Amino acid sequence: MLVFILNAGSSSLKYQLMNPVNKEVLAVGLCERIGIDGVLTHEFGNDQKLKFEVPMPTHKEAIELVLRTLTQGEGKVINSTDDIDAIGHRAVHGGEEFASSVMVTDKVIETMTKLIPLAPLHNPANIMGMQICQELMPTKPNVAVFDTAFHQTMPDYAFMYALPYEQYSKHGIRKYGFHGTSHFFVSNEARNMLDKKHNTRIIVCHLGNGSSVSAVLNGKCIDTSMGLTPVQGLMMGTRAGDVGAGAISYMMTQEGMTINETLDVMNKKSGILGISGKSSDLREVLEGMSAGDDRCRLAVEMVAYNIKKYVGSYVAALDGVDALCFTGGIGENSSLIREIVCSGLDGMGLILDPTKNNKRKSVARDIATNSSAARIFVIPTNEEYVIANDTYKVVTESKAK
């Protein structure tokens, strides 16, 4: 089965064409600056790459361009869209309504539309991608794969906020969590690497420009760091993470800011960028720290300290730990962040091997010492495979009914 994987953002569109049965990827690409001017990057074959500027007034033109690129010209990998069996869509927020991936129907789109206030930047783009694919390829099944679904196994005492209960019952205000496809993939890979499926206590650190930590007991999420929105939890590239309500209120008063202006600061001008004053890219901040920039040093130490605090709390929540996993751009590539996070965790049974940690490899590996009671894994994530595989399962099950 060939699955066309689509991740529609407000002004961008990521895509892949994959066979989830054998994990073969035929093409991967990105449309950027949709509605501005338009840039398409298309990778296929043996490290072949095309990049060109094409006007993309809307997402519809972007998807039409992608389908043409997949089926015509130099970047062709299939004969026609008839070769595509199904379309899998990344869907950011499914609320409490979706605990698993589902076939896209009018009812599903209606429900996702009602959830837009919980994800105003993401759900509209996700819905748009689904509707355009239904229009352009009306005979192809579409499947929605939700970022929030994996975290729906959290117990109520973990996902509730200590606000008046009516805020939950009336408005759905609670912790939902995100990066669910990544946390699912990595925790499942870790269970395989541990060579056991039962009685597993796994902590996953998905660390990138957006970051989150999850506690996974026997394959089920019992807690995660992100909340109602992705701004809660860890300090990230431009997001503030956990900040006390009193500090936010005081900042608003002192600066004369509206709630929207405040959210803009917390989402786009805080985190690594806000502390370092240099960049949201940790690689540049690490370079700054090496050059003696004290604010860059502070940003790096804050990032690692925040991760370590969540790891410690989740060891307590899981009543121990069998594996600590690092994934995402920072988690997979920054040996220094892994080193700082793991320092002092010996008492929890997590002992990092410095030599293994400093070896750069792009494969899943164990970087703990042989004597470590728990394992420390670096596992490259594969969210696109999760979307493709879920799409395959949903479509197959639908046909069998």
Side-chain angles (χ1 to χ4, degrees):
M1 173 182 278
L2 279 185
V3 177
F4 180 45
I5 305 158
L6 209 59
N7 180 356
S10 57
S11 62
S12 66
L13 185 80
K14 296 179 183 178
Y15 66 90
Q16 275 198 25
L17 189 62
M18 177 190 289
N19 182 340
V21 178
N22 59 16
K23 296 186 180 181
E24 180 186 9
V25 177
L26 278 69
V28 57
L30 171 66
C31 294
E32 299 176 274
R33 298 177 63 82
I34 298 172
I36 304 171
D37 41 28
V39 179
L40 172 66
T41 304
H42 178 72
E43 298 178 39
F44 62 103
N46 296 319
D47 297 323
Q48 293 175 274
K49 184 175 180 179
L50 298 175
K51 186 171 183 177
F52 44 89
E53 297 181 7
V54 183
M56 304 177 202
T58 71
H59 283 70
K60 182 178 180 181
E61 285 83 5
I63 294 174
E64 287 175 332
L65 174 63
V66 170
L67 294 176
R68 283 199 306 273
T69 305
L70 290 170
T71 58
Q72 301 173 23
E74 189 179 348
K76 176 180 176 179
V77 292
I78 54 176
N79 292 320
S80 74
T81 56
D82 290 339
D83 294 332
I84 295 172
D85 295 293
I87 303 144
H89 298 265
R90 181 199 180 204
V92 168
H93 216 306
E96 292 185 323
E97 286 77 2
F98 301 107
S100 61
S101 302
V102 296
M103 193 78 77
V104 175
T105 63
D106 291 344
K107 180 65 176 176
V108 168
I109 288 178
E110 179 185 335
T111 304
M112 287 185 65
T113 301
K114 291 178 181 177
L115 293 169
I116 284 175
L118 292 175
L121 297 179
H122 297 93
N123 270 28
N126 299 158
I127 292 167
M128 189 188 313
M130 294 171 191
Q131 292 174 325
I132 292 169
C133 286
Q134 287 177 325
E135 177 186 345
L136 296 178
M137 294 177 281
T139 64
K140 306 297 181 181
N142 288 260
V143 174
V145 181
F146 295 92
D147 275 7
T148 50
F150 180 62
H151 304 301
Q152 284 301 298
T153 53
M154 286 189 291
D156 53 6
Y157 57 79
F159 70 66
M160 285 292 292
Y161 293 123
L163 297 170
Y165 191 83
E166 292 74 18
Q167 296 302 315
Y168 167 66
S169 59
K170 288 170 60 178
H171 306 299
I173 297 176
R174 51 157 285 183
K175 180 189 289 189
Y176 288 99
F178 300 90
H179 298 139
T181 51
S182 179
H183 287 286
F184 167 75
F185 178 84
V186 171
S187 60
N188 200 49
E189 289 292 295
R191 294 172 82 199
N192 291 332
M193 292 170 72
L194 289 169
D195 198 27
K196 63 177 183 176
K197 292 289 186 181
H198 304 289
N199 302 318
T200 53
R201 301 161 299 178
I202 295 169
I203 298 170
V204 178
C205 300
H206 175 103
L207 310 176
N209 192 51
S211 300
S212 58
V213 185
S214 66
V216 185
L217 180 65
N218 301 327
K220 305 291 184 183
C221 178
I222 64 163
D223 205 349
T224 192
S225 58
M226 282 182 168
L228 177 77
T229 72
V231 75
Q232 183 182 339
L234 298 175
M235 171 182 170
M236 307 174 218
T238 61
R239 293 178 185 141
D242 294 331
V243 179
I248 297 168
S249 174
Y250 185 73
M251 180 178 72
M252 291 175 68
T253 301
Q254 295 301 110
E255 297 289 338
M257 294 190 299
T258 65
I259 185 63
N260 287 333
E261 290 170 337
T262 304
L263 288 173
D264 188 67
V265 168
M266 294 184 68
N267 276 291
K268 300 177 181 179
K269 301 175 183 178
S270 301
I272 295 171
L273 173 64
I275 295 298
S276 71
K278 183 179 185 70
S279 174
S280 63
D281 189 325
L282 187 67
R283 292 168 296 187
E284 295 181 18
V285 176
L286 286 167
E287 290 174 2
M289 182 178 74
S290 297
D293 188 315
D294 193 57
R295 282 180 58 179
C296 288
R297 186 272 313 163
L298 175 62
V300 170
E301 292 187 356
M302 285 177 68
V303 166
Y305 180 68
N306 273 270
I307 298 165
K308 180 184 285 191
K309 282 199 301 182
Y310 268 99
V311 169
S313 67
Y314 286 170
V315 170
L318 290 164
D319 193 20
V321 61
D322 296 303
L324 170 62
C325 307
F326 291 94
T327 193
I330 294 172
E332 294 169 33
N333 297 307
S334 179
S335 58
L336 179 60
I337 291 295
R338 296 194 299 261
E339 178 186 333
I340 299 173
V341 169
C342 292
S343 64
L345 298 184
D346 300 30
M348 297 180 180
L350 293 160
I351 308 174
L352 186 75
D353 185 313
T355 302
K356 293 178 183 177
N357 182 46
N358 288 318
K359 286 183 179 178
R360 295 186 64 86
K361 295 182 179 179
S362 58
V363 295
R365 61 199 188 277
D366 186 352
I367 57 172
T369 64
N370 293 335
S371 62
S372 180
R375 311 324 301 158
I376 304 172
F377 295 142
V378 178
I379 302 176
T381 193
N382 195 338
E383 296 173 88
E384 290 77 16
Y385 170 69
V386 174
I387 295 172
N389 197 47
D390 271 23
T391 300
Y392 170 73
K393 289 179 179 178
V394 170
V395 171
T396 302
E397 289 170 4
S398 176
K399 289 179 179 178
K401 290 181 179 178

